[in-house]
Amino acid sequence: MQIRELKIPDSYEITPKQFGDDRGVFLEWYRFDKLAEIVGHSIDLKQANTSVSKRGSVRGIHFADIPPGQAKYVTAPRGAVLDFVIDIRVGSPTFGQWDSVLLDDVDRRAIYIAEGLGHCFVALTDDATVSYLVTDTFNPAREHGINPLDPEVGLEFGIDLEDALLSVKDTEAPSLAEAAAAGILPTWEAARAFTDSLNTGA
């Protein structure tokens, strides 16, 4: 398993080693110990989610209040998605920037996204299946969104936006600037303090 830090601090691309033979393939798609070595603490998983999407579907940008936030470990067991991590932590040196990882059923990569970061993906195939391991259960009162088409963020989906399928909730979500003005974005200081508390076991 190879783990590479993305350009957004506290996010990582995980590439598993695959073992194939005439029966098929085997891989370890999640290893708590390997991930803990990199992020500095073990990941306390509390919920697993799966979504199945048509080609062109866009889900996100989503995030949760911190603390406790919701870290995510995401992979695509079927089809392909382009998965984005967006730094929405006010005061972060990479605030407003993003990075992306292709998740598919060929390389079978995963992405880890720490608490306080924004998450979004676009389905590149029909029946694109995405599975998430997350560190907190869904709490609608603490969940927020940013419009994924916000030009200030400038996500590059690799598809014609006329073909994009978005929920009403996502299209009506505020822009990054509007979310910052409303005071709903996490801060760099709060995110780092929370991560530090996990690293020390406080």
Side-chain angles (χ1 to χ4, degrees), residues 15 36 48 64 84 98 100 110 123 133 157 161 163 165 186 192:
T15 303
F84 299 89
W98 55 269
S100 63
L133 304 175
F157 294 108
L161 291 181
D163 298 328
L165 303 172
R192 301 305 291 179

Coordinates of all heavy atoms in Angstrom, one line a residue, residues 15 36 48 64 84 98 100 110 123 133 157 161 163 165 186 192:
T15 N -2.9 4.0 -2.6 CA -2.9 3.1 -3.7 C -2.6 1.7 -3.2 O -1.5 1.4 -2.7 CB -1.9 3.5 -4.8 OG1 -2.1 4.8 -5.2 CG2 -1.9 2.5 -6.0
A36 N -2.8 5.3 10.2 CA -2.5 5.9 11.4 C -1.0 6.3 11.5 O -0.7 7.4 12.1 CB -2.8 4.9 12.6
A48 N -20.6 3.7 7.6 CA -20.2 3.4 6.3 C -21.3 3.7 5.3 O -22.5 3.4 5.6 CB -19.8 1.9 6.1
A64 N -18.8 19.0 7.4 CA -19.5 19.0 8.7 C -18.8 20.0 9.7 O -17.6 20.2 9.6 CB -19.5 17.6 9.3
F84 N -12.7 15.0 -5.3 CA -12.1 16.3 -5.0 C -12.0 16.5 -3.5 O -13.0 16.2 -2.7 CB -12.8 17.4 -5.6 CG -12.9 17.4 -7.1 CD1 -14.0 16.8 -7.7 CD2 -12.0 18.1 -7.8 CE1 -14.1 16.8 -9.1 CE2 -12.1 18.1 -9.2 CZ -13.1 17.4 -9.8
W98 N -7.8 23.1 -4.2 CA -8.3 21.8 -4.2 C -7.3 20.8 -4.9 O -6.4 21.3 -5.6 CB -9.7 21.7 -4.9 CG -9.7 22.3 -6.3 CD1 -9.9 23.5 -6.7 CD2 -9.4 21.5 -7.6 NE1 -9.9 23.7 -8.1 CE2 -9.5 22.5 -8.6 CE3 -9.1 20.2 -7.9 CZ2 -9.3 22.1 -10.0 CZ3 -8.8 19.9 -9.2 CH2 -9.0 20.8 -10.2
S100 N -7.4 16.5 -6.6 CA -8.3 15.5 -7.0 C -7.6 14.1 -7.2 O -6.4 14.1 -7.4 CB -9.0 15.8 -8.3 OG -8.1 16.0 -9.4
A110 N -7.9 4.9 -3.0 CA -8.8 5.5 -2.1 C -8.3 6.9 -1.8 O -7.1 7.2 -2.1 CB -8.9 4.7 -0.8
A123 N -19.3 11.6 -11.1 CA -19.3 10.3 -11.7 C -18.9 10.3 -13.2 O -19.5 11.0 -13.9 CB -20.6 9.6 -11.5
L133 N -16.0 5.3 4.4 CA -15.9 5.0 5.8 C -15.8 6.4 6.5 O -14.9 7.2 6.1 CB -14.7 4.1 6.1 CG -14.6 2.8 5.4 CD1 -13.3 2.1 5.7 CD2 -15.8 1.9 5.7
F157 N -14.2 19.4 -13.7 CA -14.9 18.1 -13.6 C -14.5 17.2 -14.8 O -14.7 16.0 -14.7 CB -16.4 18.3 -13.6 CG -16.9 19.0 -12.4 CD1 -17.3 20.3 -12.4 CD2 -16.9 18.3 -11.2 CE1 -17.8 20.9 -11.2 CE2 -17.3 18.9 -10.0 CZ -17.8 20.2 -10.0
L161 N -20.4 20.7 -18.5 CA -21.3 21.0 -17.4 C -22.7 21.0 -17.7 O -23.6 20.9 -16.9 CB -20.9 22.4 -16.8 CG -19.6 22.4 -16.1 CD1 -19.3 23.8 -15.5 CD2 -19.5 21.4 -14.9
D163 N -24.0 18.5 -19.0 CA -24.4 17.1 -18.7 C -24.4 16.8 -17.2 O -24.7 15.7 -16.8 CB -23.4 16.2 -19.4 CG -23.5 16.3 -20.9 OD1 -24.6 16.6 -21.5 OD2 -22.4 16.1 -21.6
L165 N -25.4 16.5 -13.4 CA -26.6 16.2 -12.7 C -26.3 16.6 -11.2 O -25.4 16.0 -10.6 CB -27.0 14.8 -12.8 CG -27.2 14.2 -14.2 CD1 -27.4 12.7 -14.1 CD2 -28.4 14.9 -14.8
P186 N -15.3 25.9 8.7 CA -14.3 25.6 9.8 C -13.1 26.5 9.6 O -12.8 27.1 8.6 CB -14.0 24.1 9.5 CG -14.2 23.9 8.1 CD -15.4 24.8 7.7
R192 N -6.8 22.2 13.2 CA -5.5 21.7 13.7 C -5.6 21.4 15.2 O -5.0 20.4 15.6 CB -4.5 22.8 13.5 CG -4.3 23.2 12.0 CD -4.0 22.1 11.1 NE -2.7 21.5 11.3 CZ -2.2 20.4 10.7 NH1 -2.9 19.8 9.7 NH2 -1.0 20.0 10.9

